[in-house]
């Protein structure tokens, strides 16, 4: 990238570089974003999945549509779990109904997040009885539980 100097180069203020060449902006459709999220989730590369989600523009033209895609919401929940942002993960998991194919994975995230929080509070690993109590105290939300 080529940078130019601003007009105030000789003035007492700081020299501010201005881009001469405009940077390209990537524009993905909602379907493409969902497909990328699904592919990265399947590959197990959570760090890359997180970077991809963070790279999406805040003013994405289809921002409302993105939240309708289960793959995008599931990816956001997985990234939040791996970052230890459990409260945000819970909110995402409770925000919409997920298909039965996602339930197992999301239920595991739900339980593991609650187990980790309980271990931090108690300052020790949980035993089987402790885990049972956590499961009773924090049942699955209806969005990721099909009654089985």
């Amino acid at each position: 990238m080529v940078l130019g100097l601003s007009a105030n180069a000789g003035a007492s203020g700081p020299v501010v570089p201005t881009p001469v060449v405009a940077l390209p902006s990537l524009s993905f459709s909602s379907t493409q974003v969902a497909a990328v999220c699904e592919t990265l989730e399947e590959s197990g590369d959570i760090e890359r999945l997180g970077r991809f989600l963070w790279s999406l523009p805040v003013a994405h033209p289809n921002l409302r549509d993105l939240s309708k895609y289960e793959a995008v919401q599931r990816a956001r929940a997985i990234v939040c779990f791996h970052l230890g942002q459990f409260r945000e993960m819970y909110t995402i998991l409770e925000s919409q109904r997920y298909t039965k194919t996602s339930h197992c994975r999301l239920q595991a995230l739900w339980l593991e997040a609650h187990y980790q929080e309980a271990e931090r509070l108690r300052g020790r690993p949980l035993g089987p009885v402790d885990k049972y109590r956590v499961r009773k105290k924090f049942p699955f939300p209806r969005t990721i539980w099909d009654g089985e």
Side-chain angles (χ1 to χ4, degrees), residues 43-55:
S43 75
D45 193 348
I46 306 305
E47 186 177 319
R48 192 167 172 200
L49 177 60
R51 283 195 315 264
F52 174 71
L53 289 173
W54 279 104
S55 73

Side-chain angles (χ1 to χ4, degrees), residues 1-7 15-24:
M1 179 171 83
V2 180
L3 296 177
L5 296 178
S6 65
V15 175
V16 180
T18 56
V20 175
V21 180
L23 297 173

Side-chain angles (χ1 to χ4, degrees), residues 28-41 49-50 52-54 56 60 62-80 88-89 92-93 95-96 98 102 106 109:
F28 295 108
S29 71
S30 299
T31 308
Q32 290 170 323
V33 170
V36 170
C37 286
E38 204 160 317
T39 302
L40 290 174
E41 179 188 343
L49 177 60
F52 174 71
L53 289 173
W54 279 104
L56 295 174
H60 191 275
N62 304 318
L63 190 60
R64 287 184 186 258
D65 288 341
L66 283 179
S67 63
K68 293 177 186 173
Y69 283 87
E70 182 172 323
V72 175
Q73 292 295 81
R74 194 175 56 237
R76 288 181 58 222
I78 291 168
V79 169
C80 285
E88 186 173 344
M89 184 199 77
I92 292 167
L93 293 182
S95 68
Q96 74 178 41
Y98 293 87
S102 297
L106 297 177
L109 288 177

